[in-house]
Amino acid sequence: MGATWYLQGRQKHVLTTGKHASATLFGAVAPATGQIVITEADHATAETFQAFLETLRATFPEKTIHLILDNAKIHHAKVLQPYLAAHPELDLRFLPRR
């Protein structure tokens, strides 16, 4: 598995077959230890992102969790705002918009 960045509209098309043609993964790395936390979801939604945040909180209790995120709509969803307000230990930082 690898990651590659492409200009919007110029992504490679890779033929896949079967019911596992795509997967949604959320992941984070703890820089101090190298520990990796990954969760899989059927779809990338605000709810599945919130479930990932719950996993991070359970993995690193009593810690401030700093996340660097892109500006995907699910990261800014209104449904997340009450959850984020209730959990100030989640420090979300966003990459600049283009």
Side-chain angles (χ1 to χ4, degrees), residues 37-39 50-60 65 83:
V37 179
I38 298 173
T39 61
Q50 182 174 324
F52 172 65
L53 296 176
E54 286 286 336
T55 300
L56 287 176
R57 289 182 55 244
T59 304
F60 303 105
I65 300 168
Y83 177 81

Side-chain angles (χ1 to χ4, degrees), residues 2-98:
T4 305
W5 293 90
Y6 293 96
L7 293 174
Q8 188 171 4
R10 295 185 183 230
Q11 295 88 353
K12 283 186 180 178
H13 293 281
V14 179
L15 296 176
T16 57
T17 60
K19 72 177 193 171
H20 297 295
S22 67
T24 297
L25 299 174
F26 295 98
V29 177
T33 63
Q35 182 178 357
I36 299 171
V37 179
I38 298 173
T39 61
E40 184 176 351
D42 291 334
H43 301 286
T45 65
E47 291 79 10
T48 56
F49 178 60
Q50 182 174 324
F52 172 65
L53 296 176
E54 286 286 336
T55 300
L56 287 176
R57 289 182 55 244
T59 304
F60 303 105
E62 309 298 322
K63 301 277 186 185
T64 298
I65 300 168
H66 304 279
L67 292 171
I68 300 170
L69 304 167
D70 61 11
N71 282 287
K73 290 180 183 181
I74 64 168
H75 299 148
H76 294 282
K78 288 182 183 180
V79 70
L80 279 177
Q81 299 314 309
Y83 177 81
L84 294 172
H87 298 287
E89 70 275 14
L90 295 170
D91 178 27
L92 278 54
R93 303 293 173 127
F94 296 94
L95 294 172
R97 295 178 190 261
R98 298 191 242 182

